[in-house]
Amino acid sequence: MSGKRTVIGMDVGATNIRSARVDATGTLLARDRRPTCADQGRDTVVEHIVGSIHAVSDDTVEAVGIGVPGPLDPDTGIVYAPPNMTGWGDEPLRDLVAYKIGKRVALENDANAWGLGEAWLGAGRDRSSLILLTLGTGIGGCLVLGGRPWHGAHNVGCEIGHIVYDPDGVPCGCGSRGCLEQYASATGIARRAAEGIEGGAKTTLRVEGLTSASVHEAAVAGDAFAREIIEETGRILGVGLTTLCNFFDPELIVVGGGAAAAGEMLFDPMRAELAARAIQMPAGLPPIVPPQLGEDAGILGAARLVME
Ligand SMILES: [Zn+2]
């Protein structure tokens, strides 16, 4: 992409659609944000996507990149019944949008778009590979190699949250047991804390309304039980990251999402566990860092998709 040509990057979440017109350097030239209305069905969501594109578009726009909650096939542009989009089956989302706007459209899984944005202009700029983890309701993630997200042969690569942590552990929605996200996602943190409280742990926390954020808050306020839950989460993630590092040897690990707000209290035990377990060269292990682009990572990564 050269000269005054621009693209549109869009992040379609379960709650909001956010988009921007972006130039070749990654400068955001115009922005739009509107509700997704995921509960009103596919046609309404497509209408809002197209409305958001028109809101930021001008005659310099060449193409549109869209990050959406997976699963999807980036080659065919089909989204496979995303769980947080009410009433969606397998939908040819890319072609539905391209037909309405008359421009080239590319789709990417939202975690891949986020990772691509961080790899391009955020924590991973000047690095050739990174692994990104997002600690939310589940654990999402991606692997970016040479500026491209890794999809795998069947577009189910990088399901980092379903690395097995405990073979006989908690059943997971994927059909396996003891997956990493059952323990170290925001949901997993709250569940482990609730179990501890019910088991009689000495803490200011209460089971009612318990979230990973309230566990973090209590830990910061000096609650030893809450602090141990956060540190244990770091150790659990360090075990999962050992598998990834031994296999991929990435240059950088970026850990974001709501539960990563615990910061160094979470990252330090993660680093210690990784150092104790992973195979190391003299150059050491990849740094574990927070993301740098905030909400714009998904928009920038989606824009990056359609720049070549
Ligand atoms: Zn699983």
Side-chain angles (χ1 to χ4, degrees):
M1 201 171 78
S2 62
K4 291 243 158 34
R5 310 309 296 169
T6 64
V7 300
I8 292 172
M10 173 180 284
D11 183 13
V12 177
T15 311
N16 285 304
I17 291 169
R18 293 176 311 105
S19 55
R21 182 156 48 85
V22 178
D23 72 10
T25 66
T27 304
L28 277 59
L29 303 166
R31 286 176 180 272
D32 181 70
R33 181 186 194 114
R34 60 187 66 204
T36 310
C37 300
D39 57 341
Q40 292 175 28
R42 185 198 78 179
D43 291 346
T44 302
V45 175
V46 170
E47 205 177 288
H48 289 206
I49 288 173
V50 171
S52 189
I53 290 169
H54 286 314
V56 297
S57 197
D58 71 3
D59 59 8
T60 65
V61 171
E62 284 184 333
V64 179
I66 306 179
V68 288
L72 60 85
D73 183 337
D75 295 327
T76 61
I78 293 173
V79 179
Y80 297 104
N84 45 13
M85 296 289 185
T86 312
W88 287 40
D90 299 344
E91 312 288 352
L93 183 63
R94 179 190 66 193
D95 292 350
L96 285 169
V97 175
Y99 175 75
K100 286 191 188 277
I101 64 167
K103 290 188 196 303
R104 183 163 63 92
V105 175
L107 287 194
E108 185 55 273
N109 168 285
D110 53 0
N112 284 349
W114 187 0
L116 194 52
E118 286 291 336
W120 179 30
L121 294 170
R125 65 184 180 283
D126 309 322
R127 310 262 187 178
S128 67
S129 61
L130 66 78
I131 284 173
L132 175 130
L133 271 73
T134 64
L135 312 179
T137 310
I139 296 180
C142 71
L143 167 67
V144 181
L145 290 171
R148 290 179 186 278
W150 174 257
H151 293 112
H154 310 94
N155 297 302
V156 291
C158 304
E159 290 288 356
I160 291 168
H162 300 282
I163 287 175
V164 177
Y165 171 70
D166 177 358
D168 302 315
V170 180
C172 182
C174 74
S176 181
R177 300 184 80 94
C179 295
L180 196 60
E181 73 175 29
Q182 296 300 326
Y183 303 87
S185 63
T187 320
I189 292 168
R191 182 187 58 75
R192 284 172 29 245
E195 280 175 7
I197 297 163
E198 280 159 357
K202 196 170 155 284
T203 173
T204 56
L205 289 166
R206 295 289 167 268
V207 172
E208 230 165 72
L210 192 65
T211 63
S212 68
S214 58
V215 176
H216 174 221
E217 257 168 52
V220 170
D223 186 301
F225 167 78
R227 189 176 183 96
E228 173 52 24
I229 292 285
I230 301 286
E231 290 178 351
E232 184 184 47
T233 305
R235 295 196 294 273
I236 292 167
L237 287 167
V239 173
L241 287 172
T242 300
T243 299
L244 295 173
C245 287
N246 284 350
F247 197 79
F248 292 110
D249 186 19
E251 263 191 88
L252 183 73
I253 296 168
V254 182
V255 183
E264 294 303 303
M265 194 189 299
L266 180 73
F267 287 13
D268 271 342
M270 216 185 293
R271 292 180 187 118
E273 197 68 27
L274 190 63
R277 291 176 183 268
I279 295 162
Q280 291 191 57
M281 290 296 282
L285 290 161
I288 299 176
V289 300
Q292 290 181 359
L293 301 178
E295 286 197 327
D296 290 342
I299 290 175
L300 287 166
R304 185 67 173 164
L305 277 182
V306 287
M307 280 191 179
E308 281 139 26

